[in-house]
Amino acid sequence: EVQLQQSGPELRRPGSSVKLSCKASGYSITDYLMHWVKHRPEHGLEWIGWIDPEDGETKYAQKFQSKATLTADTSSNTAYMQLSSLTSEDTATYFCARMTMMTPGWFAYWGQGTLVTVSS
Amino acid sequence: DIVLTQSPATLSVTPGESVSLSCRASQGISTSIHWYQQKSNESPRLLIKFASQSISGIPSRFSGSGSGTDFTLSINRVESEDFSVYYCQQSYSLPLTFGSGTKLEIK
């Protein structure tokens, strides 16, 4: 059974950074891209980007180019996302998600989400 | 970027009614649209893929239609568990984008 287990909630000060994790089970992360999605209730869902854990290739939405850094550790079957220079606009729930193919399609599997709160 | 416009933003209905939710793309995207349901504090759940293809485990009252720029998610006889937010997502081109959502609430 495919599962994506994300790390717990985070509270950060403005200007700091945070690193979220997404541990996959039931498959090897090198077999599929790992995507990250931002959710704020008043703004809906936003695609941040993806990483190919097999070779480390990444693709970001332009809006998140300078905000997010995606990495992966194949030895632990875990993907990571670091968010830098945090502001109140980064307060959101962040999901990792996987498709069933390598080409863009639908998100079949989702982590439970990590709530990041940015507050002084 | 492809913009997806969902309407209405909020839909108030009585359980047992049938509803249609709209998703309009800023350019033609063939049938590369997918629909999700998201309840509060939960992850999105896939309902329909490629505009009209059903998903295993999803109740048959959910159906999708459309191609090009106009898409519809239909719910036949809404049940109490269906009151949540619905999003469309396109996979026609990067960046992947989502609609702003339609909230289905109890009248």
Side-chain angles (χ1 to χ4, degrees):
Chain A
E1 178 190 6
V2 173
Q3 290 189 340
L4 302 175
Q5 183 65 38
Q6 297 188 237
S7 47
E10 302 276 4
L11 173 62
R12 289 288 186 273
R13 302 294 190 199
S16 66
S17 63
V18 66
K19 190 171 186 177
L20 314 183
S21 68
C22 172
K23 184 172 178 58
S25 60
Y27 78 102
S28 171
I29 62 169
T30 57
D31 289 342
Y32 297 91
L33 305 179
M34 186 67 79
H35 297 255
W36 291 83
V37 175
K38 178 179 182 180
H39 178 244
R40 291 179 290 175
E42 66 277 19
H43 292 91
L45 299 165
E46 295 180 272
W47 178 73
I48 296 171
W50 56 249
I51 181 169
D52 184 345
E54 184 169 40
D55 59 10
E57 180 184 3
T58 55
K59 179 73 174 179
Y60 298 92
Q62 185 170 11
K63 175 180 180 180
F64 294 99
Q65 282 274 6
S66 303
K67 172 62 63 177
T69 302
L70 305 183
T71 58
D73 177 3
T74 57
S75 67
S76 63
N77 223 37
T78 302
Y80 298 91
M81 178 174 69
Q82 179 163 321
L83 300 170
S84 62
S85 303
L86 293 169
T87 72
S88 59
E89 294 295 301
D90 300 315
T91 293
T93 297
Y94 294 87
F95 294 98
C96 58
R98 205 207 87 179
M99 297 180 174
T100 58
M101 60 188 75
M102 288 296 281
T103 53
W106 62 93
F107 296 106
Y109 304 99
W110 295 76
Q112 82 276 23
T114 295
L115 175 62
V116 175
T117 304
V118 183
S119 175
S120 55
Chain B
D1 298 4
I2 295 174
V3 177
L4 299 178
T5 302
Q6 289 190 244
S7 61
T10 304
L11 190 54
S12 300
V13 301
T14 302
E17 286 187 56
S18 295
V19 298
S20 293
L21 285 60
S22 173
C23 177
R24 177 164 293 177
S26 59
Q27 67 183 73
I29 59 171
S30 185
T31 58
S32 298
I33 202 79
H34 320 289
W35 290 92
Y36 301 85
Q37 175 192 61
Q38 187 178 27
K39 298 183 178 181
S40 293
N41 301 315
E42 293 186 8
S43 310
R45 178 175 71 148
L46 179 69
L47 298 176
I48 298 287
K49 64 181 182 180
F50 286 123
S52 62
Q53 295 182 15
S54 60
I55 301 298
S56 175
I58 299 301
S60 59
R61 63 181 180 273
F62 291 95
S63 63
S65 63
S67 67
T69 60
D70 291 320
F71 303 90
T72 301
L73 174 70
S74 299
I75 310 175
N76 185 32
R77 298 178 186 167
V78 173
E79 299 189 5
S80 57
E81 65 191 42
D82 300 336
F83 292 100
S84 55
V85 181
Y86 293 84
Y87 294 98
C88 55
Q89 173 241 322
Q90 66 82 19
S91 60
Y92 187 81
S93 67
L94 294 180
L96 304 177
T97 52
F98 292 85
S100 54
T102 290
K103 181 180 181 181
L104 187 64
E105 64 177 27
I106 300 176
K107 182 184 288 185

